[in-house]
Amino acid sequence: MEQDTTKTILLPICGTEVDESAFSVAAWLAKASKSSVRALHVIEVSRDKPLDADLGEEADVGEQILEKIENLAKAEKCPIQAGIIQARSAGHAIVQEAQIRNVQTIVLGTSKIKGTAGDYFGRTVSHILRNSDCDVIIWRGGTYGQVSTERVE
């Protein structure tokens, strides 16, 4: 597969409340760096199904999630591409997508996993942090309020 040479920010989204805040961070970064945003929704396919299984309901939900982000991007005048992929592991798929598209930054929206003592992030975020070759920005929603687009120097 041929690598894309344009500056791209990868925004994995999953339909949670932090998607919009993470998009705001990605959009601000894209504008500041003259990049585009690639929104990606990963449908995890269980091992008892073929990887290319028809997952109609999950695909419909994914399309709705992407449509919401595309509407936000249109309102912000932020260049965006959106896609859905099916994979066994979301973390592995996101890292692979970043490598294929020569992504400069991954912006991850996340929240603390409730009831965990030691691990702060889930397996997807942990996998991306351990295996990504590019910069990773984590936006933890629900704690710090609105996204600030002011530049800190």
Side-chain angles (χ1 to χ4, degrees):
M1 214 175 210
E2 193 174 307
Q3 286 192 341
D4 189 354
T5 58
T6 58
K7 291 183 180 179
T8 304
I9 296 163
L10 185 60
L11 176 67
I13 56 173
C14 57
T16 64
E17 67 279 353
V18 297
D19 284 352
E20 284 187 42
S21 295
F23 168 75
S24 294
V25 172
W28 176 81
L29 187 59
K31 288 176 184 178
S33 64
K34 295 181 174 50
S35 302
S36 65
V37 175
R38 166 81 173 157
L40 180 67
H41 179 71
V42 180
I43 299 172
E44 288 189 309
V45 181
S46 63
R47 296 211 178 271
D48 63 336
K49 295 179 184 168
L51 199 50
D52 62 352
D54 182 11
L55 302 172
E57 188 175 323
E58 289 97 335
D60 290 344
V61 169
E63 289 292 342
Q64 291 171 0
I65 292 167
L66 289 176
E67 184 177 342
K68 185 176 181 181
I69 293 297
E70 287 173 320
N71 289 337
L72 289 171
K74 186 176 179 181
E76 290 287 326
K77 296 179 176 67
C78 177
I80 193 165
Q81 297 175 336
I84 297 176
I85 57 175
Q86 292 183 189
R88 300 284 183 219
S89 161
H92 180 77
I94 292 164
V95 169
Q96 188 173 36
E97 181 82 359
Q99 291 169 342
I100 289 169
R101 294 191 181 272
N102 198 26
V103 165
Q104 282 70 43
T105 307
I106 300 172
V107 176
L108 290 170
T110 189
S111 55
K112 184 179 186 311
I113 297 175
K114 293 181 176 146
T116 58
D119 291 338
Y120 190 79
F121 299 117
R123 65 183 174 87
T124 299
V125 174
S126 296
H127 181 87
I128 293 166
L129 289 172
R130 280 193 312 274
N131 297 289
S132 178
D133 295 332
C134 64
D135 294 336
V136 178
I137 296 173
I138 297 175
W139 174 259
R140 182 178 161 213
T143 302
Y144 302 108
Q146 295 294 330
V147 175
S148 172
T149 57
E150 293 179 29
R151 188 176 185 118
V152 178
E153 305 215 22

